[in-house]
Amino acid sequence: MANEELRLIMVAQRGDVESFNALVRLYEGRVYNLCYRLLGDADSAADATQDTFLSAYRHLQAFRGGSFRSWLFRIATNVCYDILRARQRRPVVSLDASCETAGEDTPSLQIADTSESPDEFALRRELARAIEAGLAQLPVDQRLVVVLCDLQGLTYEEIADVLGANLGTIKSRLSRGRARLRDLLRQEELLPLRFRHEGEE
Protein backbone atom coordinates (compact mmCIF):
# COMPACT_ATOMS: atom_id res chain seq x y z
CA MET A 1 0.00 0.00 0.00
CA ALA A 2 1.39 3.39 -0.97
CA ASN A 3 2.40 5.68 1.85
CA GLU A 4 -0.01 8.41 0.74
CA GLU A 5 -2.92 5.97 0.57
CA LEU A 6 -2.09 4.65 4.02
CA ARG A 7 -1.92 8.20 5.38
CA LEU A 8 -5.33 9.01 3.88
CA ILE A 9 -6.85 5.88 5.43
CA MET A 10 -5.43 6.60 8.86
CA VAL A 11 -6.60 10.23 8.81
CA ALA A 12 -10.02 9.21 7.47
CA GLN A 13 -10.36 6.66 10.26
CA ARG A 14 -9.98 9.57 12.68
CA GLY A 15 -13.02 11.20 11.07
CA ASP A 16 -11.52 13.41 8.37
CA VAL A 17 -14.10 13.47 5.57
CA GLU A 18 -11.80 15.14 3.05
CA SER A 19 -9.29 12.31 3.36
CA PHE A 20 -12.03 9.78 2.74
CA ASN A 21 -13.20 11.78 -0.28
CA ALA A 22 -9.65 11.59 -1.62
CA LEU A 23 -9.82 7.79 -1.31
CA VAL A 24 -13.14 7.84 -3.16
CA ARG A 25 -11.55 9.78 -6.00
CA LEU A 26 -8.72 7.24 -6.16
CA TYR A 27 -11.00 4.23 -6.44
CA GLU A 28 -14.42 5.32 -7.71
CA GLY A 29 -13.60 4.51 -11.35
CA ARG A 30 -12.42 0.99 -10.56
CA VAL A 31 -15.33 0.29 -8.23
CA TYR A 32 -17.82 1.59 -10.80
CA ASN A 33 -16.28 -0.56 -13.54
CA LEU A 34 -16.52 -3.65 -11.34
CA CYS A 35 -20.16 -2.92 -10.51
CA TYR A 36 -21.00 -2.23 -14.15
CA ARG A 37 -19.48 -5.52 -15.32
CA LEU A 38 -21.48 -7.43 -12.72
CA LEU A 39 -24.79 -5.62 -13.05
CA GLY A 40 -24.82 -4.75 -16.75
CA ASP A 41 -26.35 -1.27 -16.64
CA ALA A 42 -25.06 2.18 -15.78
CA ASP A 43 -27.78 3.24 -13.33
CA SER A 44 -27.47 0.14 -11.17
CA ALA A 45 -23.67 0.40 -11.25
CA ALA A 46 -23.81 4.03 -10.12
CA ASP A 47 -26.16 3.12 -7.25
CA ALA A 48 -23.94 0.18 -6.24
CA THR A 49 -20.84 2.37 -6.33
CA GLN A 50 -22.49 4.93 -4.07
CA ASP A 51 -23.65 2.21 -1.67
CA THR A 52 -20.14 0.72 -1.65
CA PHE A 53 -18.52 3.94 -0.53
CA LEU A 54 -21.25 4.68 2.01
CA SER A 55 -20.68 1.25 3.52
CA ALA A 56 -16.90 1.72 3.40
CA TYR A 57 -17.23 5.03 5.23
CA ARG A 58 -19.45 3.54 7.92
CA HIS A 59 -17.13 0.57 8.44
CA LEU A 60 -13.76 2.24 7.89
CA GLN A 61 -12.73 1.50 11.47
CA ALA A 62 -12.98 -2.21 10.63
CA PHE A 63 -10.20 -1.94 8.04
CA ARG A 64 -7.08 -3.31 9.71
CA GLY A 65 -4.56 -3.16 6.92
CA GLY A 66 -3.79 -5.22 3.84
CA SER A 67 -5.08 -4.27 0.41
CA PHE A 68 -7.56 -1.40 0.61
CA ARG A 69 -8.55 -2.09 -3.00
CA SER A 70 -9.44 -5.70 -2.15
CA TRP A 71 -11.40 -4.51 0.88
CA LEU A 72 -13.40 -2.09 -1.27
CA PHE A 73 -13.96 -4.71 -3.96
CA ARG A 74 -15.27 -7.13 -1.32
CA ILE A 75 -17.82 -4.53 -0.23
CA ALA A 76 -18.75 -3.76 -3.85
CA THR A 77 -19.15 -7.45 -4.66
CA ASN A 78 -21.51 -7.93 -1.70
CA VAL A 79 -23.53 -4.87 -2.73
CA CYS A 80 -23.84 -6.21 -6.28
CA TYR A 81 -24.85 -9.67 -5.07
CA ASP A 82 -27.63 -8.07 -3.01
CA ILE A 83 -28.88 -6.26 -6.13
CA LEU A 84 -28.71 -9.44 -8.21
CA ARG A 85 -30.64 -11.40 -5.57
CA ALA A 86 -33.29 -8.67 -5.54
CA ARG A 87 -33.54 -8.92 -9.34
CA GLN A 88 -34.10 -12.65 -9.13
CA ARG A 89 -37.01 -12.07 -6.74
CA ARG A 90 -38.42 -9.23 -8.85
CA PRO A 91 -36.73 -8.97 -12.27
CA VAL A 92 -36.59 -5.45 -13.65
CA VAL A 93 -33.42 -5.08 -15.69
CA SER A 94 -31.93 -7.75 -17.94
CA LEU A 95 -28.45 -9.01 -17.14
CA ASP A 96 -27.92 -9.35 -20.87
CA ALA A 97 -27.58 -5.58 -21.35
CA SER A 98 -24.56 -4.70 -23.45
CA CYS A 99 -22.71 -1.61 -24.58
CA GLU A 100 -24.85 -1.60 -27.73
CA THR A 101 -27.91 -0.71 -25.68
CA ALA A 102 -26.11 1.34 -23.05
CA GLY A 103 -25.32 5.03 -23.22
CA GLU A 104 -22.04 6.54 -24.24
CA ASP A 105 -21.15 7.13 -20.60
CA THR A 106 -20.79 3.42 -19.92
CA PRO A 107 -17.24 2.12 -19.52
CA SER A 108 -15.42 0.55 -22.43
CA LEU A 109 -12.91 -2.25 -22.03
CA GLN A 110 -10.05 -0.15 -23.33
CA ILE A 111 -9.02 3.47 -23.34
CA ALA A 112 -8.89 5.15 -26.73
CA ASP A 113 -5.44 5.34 -28.27
CA THR A 114 -5.06 8.58 -30.18
CA SER A 115 -2.32 7.05 -32.37
CA GLU A 116 -4.65 4.45 -33.91
CA SER A 117 -6.57 4.94 -37.12
CA PRO A 118 -10.36 5.44 -37.14
CA ASP A 119 -10.76 1.94 -38.57
CA GLU A 120 -8.64 0.42 -35.80
CA PHE A 121 -10.57 2.33 -33.16
CA ALA A 122 -13.91 1.19 -34.62
CA LEU A 123 -12.73 -2.42 -34.72
CA ARG A 124 -11.53 -2.28 -31.14
CA ARG A 125 -14.84 -0.79 -30.01
CA GLU A 126 -16.69 -3.58 -31.84
CA LEU A 127 -14.54 -6.19 -30.10
CA ALA A 128 -15.14 -4.51 -26.73
CA ARG A 129 -18.90 -4.64 -27.29
CA ALA A 130 -18.67 -8.32 -28.20
CA ILE A 131 -16.77 -9.10 -25.01
CA GLU A 132 -19.26 -7.08 -22.96
CA ALA A 133 -22.13 -9.09 -24.43
CA GLY A 134 -20.32 -12.35 -23.71
CA LEU A 135 -19.50 -11.36 -20.13
CA ALA A 136 -23.17 -10.58 -19.49
CA GLN A 137 -24.06 -14.19 -20.31
CA LEU A 138 -21.60 -15.82 -17.90
CA PRO A 139 -22.81 -17.14 -14.55
CA VAL A 140 -22.21 -14.45 -11.94
CA ASP A 141 -19.45 -16.33 -10.07
CA GLN A 142 -17.49 -16.86 -13.29
CA ARG A 143 -18.14 -13.33 -14.54
CA LEU A 144 -16.82 -11.92 -11.28
CA VAL A 145 -13.47 -13.72 -11.34
CA VAL A 146 -12.94 -12.94 -15.04
CA VAL A 147 -13.62 -9.26 -14.37
CA LEU A 148 -11.41 -9.14 -11.28
CA CYS A 149 -8.52 -10.94 -12.98
CA ASP A 150 -8.61 -9.92 -16.62
CA LEU A 151 -10.11 -6.43 -16.39
CA GLN A 152 -9.17 -5.23 -12.91
CA GLY A 153 -5.77 -6.93 -12.85
CA LEU A 154 -6.03 -8.57 -9.43
CA THR A 155 -3.84 -11.56 -8.58
CA TYR A 156 -5.33 -14.93 -7.68
CA GLU A 157 -4.48 -14.23 -4.04
CA GLU A 158 -6.25 -10.85 -4.10
CA ILE A 159 -9.33 -12.37 -5.74
CA ALA A 160 -9.39 -15.11 -3.11
CA ASP A 161 -9.25 -12.38 -0.46
CA VAL A 162 -12.10 -10.43 -2.10
CA LEU A 163 -14.34 -13.48 -2.42
CA GLY A 164 -13.31 -15.36 0.70
CA ALA A 165 -12.56 -18.45 -1.42
CA ASN A 166 -9.52 -20.68 -1.76
CA LEU A 167 -7.09 -20.42 -4.67
CA GLY A 168 -8.26 -23.68 -6.24
CA THR A 169 -11.82 -22.39 -6.44
CA ILE A 170 -10.67 -19.09 -7.96
CA LYS A 171 -8.54 -20.80 -10.61
CA SER A 172 -11.33 -23.22 -11.47
CA ARG A 173 -13.93 -20.46 -11.86
CA LEU A 174 -11.54 -18.38 -13.93
CA SER A 175 -10.72 -21.28 -16.23
CA ARG A 176 -14.39 -22.14 -16.72
CA GLY A 177 -15.33 -18.50 -17.20
CA ARG A 178 -12.67 -17.87 -19.82
CA ALA A 179 -13.58 -21.05 -21.68
CA ARG A 180 -17.28 -20.21 -21.56
CA LEU A 181 -16.64 -16.66 -22.77
CA ARG A 182 -14.54 -17.95 -25.65
CA ASP A 183 -17.26 -20.45 -26.61
CA LEU A 184 -19.96 -17.79 -26.44
CA LEU A 185 -18.02 -15.44 -28.67
CA ARG A 186 -17.44 -18.17 -31.25
CA GLN A 187 -20.77 -20.01 -31.17
CA GLU A 188 -23.00 -16.96 -31.13
CA GLU A 189 -20.77 -15.09 -33.59
CA LEU A 190 -20.45 -12.14 -31.24
CA LEU A 191 -16.90 -11.54 -32.38
CA PRO A 192 -16.27 -9.15 -35.25
CA LEU A 193 -15.67 -11.09 -38.47
CA ARG A 194 -11.92 -10.41 -38.44
CA PHE A 195 -11.48 -12.28 -35.14
CA ARG A 196 -13.78 -15.26 -35.65
CA HIS A 197 -11.24 -17.67 -37.13
CA GLU A 198 -8.09 -16.51 -35.41
CA GLY A 199 -6.48 -19.27 -33.43
CA GLU A 200 -8.62 -21.96 -35.03
CA GLU A 201 -7.15 -24.80 -36.99
Side-chain angles (χ1 to χ4, degrees):
M1 185 184 301
N3 290 336
E4 176 60 13
E5 180 181 294
L6 180 58
R7 185 192 70 78
L8 289 171
I9 293 169
M10 292 176 65
V11 176
Q13 285 178 324
R14 294 198 292 268
D16 187 83
V17 175
E18 283 306 311
S19 294
F20 183 78
N21 288 340
L23 291 168
V24 171
R25 289 190 292 272
L26 281 175
Y27 285 102
E28 62 185 342
R30 279 175 277 189
V31 170
Y32 174 82
N33 282 331
L34 172 62
C35 295
Y36 180 80
R37 307 291 176 209
L38 289 178
L39 300 175
D41 73 277
D43 289 341
S44 295
D47 290 343
T49 300
Q50 182 178 2
D51 289 347
T52 295
F53 284 109
L54 284 173
S55 179
Y57 183 73
R58 293 187 187 113
H59 299 95
L60 194 57
Q61 296 298 329
F63 179 72
R64 300 296 184 208
S67 170
F68 188 69
R69 176 180 65 172
S70 295
W71 186 73
L72 276 179
F73 281 0
R74 188 181 313 127
I75 295 172
T77 299
N78 289 333
V79 168
C80 290
Y81 276 145
D82 287 343
I83 292 172
L84 291 171
R85 280 192 289 267
R87 284 181 180 176
Q88 287 179 343
R89 292 192 299 269
R90 188 171 53 115
V92 176
V93 180
S94 171
L95 288 180
D96 294 331
S98 71
C99 278
E100 292 183 5
T101 58
E104 289 300 320
D105 60 339
T106 55
S108 61
L109 290 175
Q110 302 176 36
I111 297 172
D113 180 356
T114 55
S115 67
E116 66 188 348
S117 71
D119 286 346
E120 290 171 333
F121 176 72
L123 184 63
R124 188 163 53 79
R125 283 290 298 270
E126 189 179 352
L127 179 60
R129 289 188 180 110
I131 295 172
E132 291 279 3
L135 278 173
Q137 297 181 59
L138 294 181
V140 175
D141 60 339
Q142 294 176 18
R143 187 190 324 164
L144 179 57
V145 292
V146 170
V147 168
L148 289 173
C149 184
D150 295 336
L151 300 181
Q152 296 287 351
L154 271 66
T155 65
Y156 294 151
E157 290 77 11
E158 288 174 320
I159 298 171
D161 184 40
V162 169
L163 301 182
N166 61 52
L167 286 178
T169 298
I170 297 304
K171 292 177 181 178
S172 175
R173 289 179 185 174
L174 183 60
S175 177
R176 291 199 310 270
R178 285 172 171 169
R180 176 66 177 150
L181 180 59
R182 183 175 59 248
D183 290 345
L184 283 168
L185 293 174
R186 287 178 176 168
Q187 291 172 8
E188 300 188 21
E189 296 189 343
L190 293 170
L191 278 176
L193 192 59
R194 173 177 166 179
F195 297 101
R196 288 181 191 169
H197 303 294
E198 289 188 3
E200 297 181 1
E201 297 295 334

